[in-house]
Amino acid sequence: MVLEATMICIDNSEWMRNGDYGPSRFQAQADAVNLICGAKTQSNPENTVGVLTMAGKGVRVLVTPTSDLGKILACMHGLEIGGEMNLAAGIQVAQLALKHRQNKKQQQRIIVFAGSPVKHEKKTLEMIGKKLKKNSVTLDIVNFGEDDEGKTEKLEALLAAVNNNDTSHIVHIPAGPNALSDVLLSTPIFTGDGEGGSGFAASAAAAAAGGISGFEFGVDPNLDPELALALRVSMEEERARQEAAAKKAAEESSKQEKGGEEQDATMTERASEGASEADNKKNEFLQALAMSMDEPASSHDLQDTEMSDAATEDPELALALQLSVQDSAKDSSSQADMSKLLADQSFVSSILASLPGVDPNDPSVKEVLASMQSQSEPQQKQDEDKAPKEEDKK
Amino acid sequence: MACTHDHSCEDHDCSSNWSLYKHIDLAKVTALNEANPGSVKSVFKAWEERLNSSGERLESNEGDPELLVYIPFTSDVKIKSISVVGGADGTSPSKLRVFINREGIDFSDAQSMQPVQEWELVENLQGVLEYQTRYSKFQSVANITLHFPESFGGDTTQIHYIGFKGEATQVFQFLL
């Protein structure tokens, strides 16, 4: 909870175009900056963070230390990559920016992202480090990206000059499968001088371990609650749909032994799920497929009643239903029939054409049809393919 | 403006005069360029202990004898004179510049600003020297910043004791 003013020095030189830290070094850096800003402001609401770029035409302060997270995130947009990084000037300008902070009670901290080669002499860096130490400024160095001869040595020398009682840190991040921000989460830069880690860092680290950087779904509920909510809802829907599909697949495999009621229930369940999102036409289509796949012996009555409901509204659809039910009634293995039916592309296209909002010429629909023909798998998968595709169109 | 005591200290209890250290807000005392963070607090003690160098002392970083000490008081004080006991072997400070009621001064500010008063110091290992102030300027001091730019040739600057003589008014500083 230490009260701190932080200046982050970003490297936006040409070396940042490289993609060894996915998606690009610059993007990885930007993510890390966002994470740091969030952590700092969360650990103490009076903390301020500022950002400056070190390359490009020259050192440029994008935002002076502020506690307004939105401002900081906004200034990260539209940054151009180019030029060479000027580490010495960057640190000195950062020091100046910190000197003019509004709240003099804040501790001064500079975080430097050193991704490109360091062209300064070790002596110069050491002198800068001494000056920082003299003015009680702590420095964190993130060494990533290029690793030419002497760079690590120079940065270590800089750190040694600045370091006062282990308040300054350096981290070396090699390119690898983990994102830059994820690796940073476990470093002292986030856990902050042995305070035991702020709650933010701990929870973010836990999430990162699960493969999601930062927050659940990669979106901060604070920053964008609607998006986070939408993502969560759609994830749950997909999960439910997959669960139902898995259930159905398991049941299909033992279909011959069990009664069709279970399937019926799950099918209609699925259909009713679909109903909540899609319109009635699609629902009827789903139900038609469902019913046609049921064991004819056990659930004919149900089928008839449901079909008659559907039939009243759309004669074409009713015809289709009739055909499919009759076919399945003849053959005990309705599954094969259904696939045959659906394999008949003209039949399927006629059904689809009758549905509003479905264009048989749509490439995705065609794709689905093609895949269905090639498959001889259970209906459920095909239904699933169709259902989400149709929902997508909505 | 250095002066020596005109009486022997055994008869007269000098310590009561140098009691302004009691009014220093020790928690908020800071120093720049000190080798051990927090060691600056050890130099404010009673007059009797000014020569007691067994405890910690304020030392600047290797090779850089500049020191900056920021001292806030718990109430406004009037400062009559200042006493500084330095270290041996040229590590005593040779100059002192003070700034009054200014917060957040760092080295570049201190070097460029005009001090309220400055003194050429003398090596004062026995702690018998005091430096008088222009009293009219030190009438209502809420905080004082001492800048020691150089030492007597030593690699570092060491300070064992800083004392203030004067009186405390009852105007308390309410810090928000």
Side-chain angles (χ1 to χ4, degrees):
Chain A
M1 287 288 287
V2 60
L3 186 57
E4 226 175 29
T6 309
M7 276 301 288
I8 306 183
C9 303
I10 300 183
D11 183 357
N12 60 330
S13 62
E14 286 289 344
W15 282 268
M16 292 300 110
R17 288 191 203 275
N18 198 331
D20 53 358
Y21 297 78
S24 77
R25 284 182 187 171
F26 185 71
Q27 199 50 48
Q29 210 187 169
D31 293 338
V33 169
N34 290 346
L35 218 55
I36 293 177
C37 294
K40 293 286 178 198
T41 35
Q42 226 188 36
S43 80
N44 186 333
E46 284 189 50
N47 279 352
T48 56
V49 181
V51 178
L52 63 79
T53 52
M54 291 191 284
K57 288 216 188 91
V59 175
R60 189 160 69 101
V61 176
L62 298 172
V63 58
T64 56
T66 170
S67 51
D68 183 359
L69 208 60
K71 218 176 182 182
I72 299 167
L73 296 176
C75 83
M76 296 292 298
H77 285 303
L79 279 182
E80 295 195 347
I81 299 183
E84 266 184 20
M85 167 178 85
N86 187 345
L87 187 62
I91 295 181
Q92 284 167 333
V93 172
Q95 197 184 350
L96 200 62
L98 285 172
K99 183 174 143 166
H100 293 284
R101 64 198 185 286
Q102 283 184 319
N103 183 357
K104 300 285 181 201
K105 292 199 172 70
Q106 291 166 326
Q107 296 282 337
Q108 304 173 70
R109 179 177 289 275
I110 300 179
I111 303 182
V112 172
F113 283 87
S116 42
V118 176
K119 59 180 192 229
H120 304 281
E121 292 292 323
K122 198 153 90 148
K123 271 253 154 334
T124 323
L125 293 178
E126 278 176 1
M127 275 180 39
I128 293 177
K130 281 215 195 90
K131 190 156 162 251
L132 288 177
K133 184 170 170 184
K134 190 166 168 183
N135 285 295
S136 182
V137 179
T138 49
L139 179 67
D140 289 332
I141 308 175
V142 180
N143 181 12
F144 71 111
E146 292 298 311
D147 189 17
D148 65 347
E149 68 304 325
K151 179 187 180 200
T152 311
E153 204 191 307
K154 287 180 189 169
L155 292 177
E156 291 277 0
L158 172 61
L159 183 84
V162 178
N163 205 353
N164 189 358
N165 248 19
D166 259 351
T167 47
S168 301
H169 317 97
I170 183 169
V171 283
H172 307 276
I173 305 185
N178 299 329
L180 188 67
S181 0
D182 294 343
V183 180
L184 270 181
L185 276 169
S186 55
T187 60
I189 294 183
F190 262 95
T191 56
D193 308 341
E195 283 169 3
S198 64
F200 177 104
S203 64
I212 312 165
S213 75
F215 300 92
E216 202 180 17
F217 306 121
V219 172
D220 181 357
N222 295 327
L223 284 177
D224 201 345
E226 288 150 12
L227 183 56
L229 184 66
L231 286 171
R232 200 178 326 131
V233 168
S234 67
M235 183 68 105
E236 280 166 14
E237 280 172 16
E238 186 59 38
R239 212 178 290 140
R241 199 184 305 145
Q242 280 173 3
E243 272 169 35
K247 233 191 286 174
K248 236 167 290 135
E251 283 157 7
E252 267 302 307
S253 60
S254 58
K255 189 184 135 148
Q256 305 306 327
E257 297 95 56
K258 287 188 192 168
E261 254 98 347
E262 289 171 34
Q263 292 168 44
D264 196 4
T266 48
M267 260 307 196
T268 41
E269 208 184 283
R270 267 202 64 247
S272 56
E273 272 175 32
S276 61
E277 305 141 28
D279 66 4
N280 285 338
K281 290 277 188 221
K282 286 196 292 186
N283 190 19
E284 283 157 10
F285 184 68
L286 285 173
Q287 279 181 334
L289 289 170
M291 287 180 288
S292 63
M293 272 154 16
D294 289 335
E295 281 288 352
S298 50
S299 47
H300 239 208
D301 293 346
L302 190 55
Q303 285 174 21
D304 285 341
T305 44
E306 289 184 57
M307 273 190 333
S308 54
D309 285 343
T312 49
E313 300 184 36
D314 191 348
E316 262 186 286
L317 190 56
L319 183 62
L321 292 175
Q322 286 286 356
L323 281 172
S324 50
V325 170
Q326 277 163 16
D327 280 348
S328 59
K330 286 176 206 158
D331 196 344
S332 59
S333 163
S334 58
Q335 212 178 347
D337 266 337
M338 196 29 131
S339 30
K340 262 195 253 160
L341 271 174
L342 287 172
D344 187 352
Q345 192 161 11
S346 54
F347 173 69
V348 175
S349 356
S350 68
I351 293 183
L352 290 178
S354 69
L355 292 173
V358 176
D359 180 8
N361 293 326
D362 196 311
S364 53
V365 175
K366 281 193 171 163
E367 209 183 320
V368 170
L369 294 177
S371 65
M372 282 193 320
Q373 283 169 2
S374 59
Q375 284 170 11
S376 56
E377 284 166 12
Q379 284 314 110
Q380 285 79 1
K381 293 234 179 70
Q382 295 164 4
D383 288 347
E384 258 187 301
D385 285 340
K386 276 214 209 107
K389 297 266 188 241
E390 283 154 26
E391 279 159 28
D392 284 347
K393 290 194 184 46
K394 282 297 150 189
Chain B
M1 282 208 265
C3 63
T4 55
H5 278 234
D6 52 2
H7 52 261
S8 62
C9 280
E10 294 90 37
D11 309 332
H12 178 83
D13 182 15
C14 286
S15 65
S16 57
N17 293 340
W18 295 94
S19 58
L20 271 186
Y21 74 94
K22 292 180 191 154
H23 297 269
I24 293 178
D25 193 352
L26 260 189
K28 301 218 180 82
V29 170
T30 60
L32 288 185
N33 204 28
E34 58 179 342
N36 297 322
S39 59
V40 61
K41 303 189 177 141
S42 64
V43 304
F44 302 107
K45 42 205 174 186
W47 173 254
E48 295 90 18
E49 276 142 51
R50 70 197 183 280
L51 298 178
N52 185 3
S53 52
S54 61
E56 270 196 38
R57 58 181 179 277
L58 172 61
E59 183 157 10
S60 70
N61 279 318
E62 265 309 309
D64 193 355
E66 229 178 322
L67 273 177
L68 199 60
V69 184
Y70 167 74
I71 305 158
F73 295 97
T74 52
S75 60
D76 280 359
V77 297
K78 303 182 209 257
I79 300 181
K80 222 188 274 181
S81 55
I82 304 177
S83 173
V84 176
V85 176
D89 296 331
T91 55
S92 283
S94 59
K95 252 187 155 128
L96 169 62
R97 309 159 83 231
V98 303
F99 306 90
I100 297 217
N101 293 341
R102 295 285 302 260
E103 291 186 9
I105 297 183
D106 70 350
F107 283 109
S108 50
D109 293 335
Q111 279 148 13
S112 55
M113 273 166 37
Q114 191 67 260
V116 173
Q117 196 167 354
E118 60 182 313
W119 294 267
E120 296 284 338
L121 300 180
V122 180
E123 280 195 348
N124 180 18
L125 297 171
Q126 299 311 308
V128 295
L129 293 179
E130 61 185 78
Y131 302 92
Q132 274 189 343
T133 63
R134 281 193 210 118
Y135 201 44
S136 56
K137 295 202 175 151
F138 289 76
Q139 283 300 301
S140 145
V141 177
N143 57 65
I144 188 170
T145 305
L146 307 177
H147 179 216
F148 302 95
E150 7 178 278
S151 68
F152 282 104
D155 235 5
T156 64
T157 300
Q158 289 177 15
I159 296 183
H160 295 265
Y161 169 75
I162 295 178
F164 297 100
K165 191 190 225 175
E167 3 178 290
T169 65
Q170 295 308 308
V171 180
F172 284 99
Q173 286 286 313
F174 287 105
L175 299 163
L176 289 167

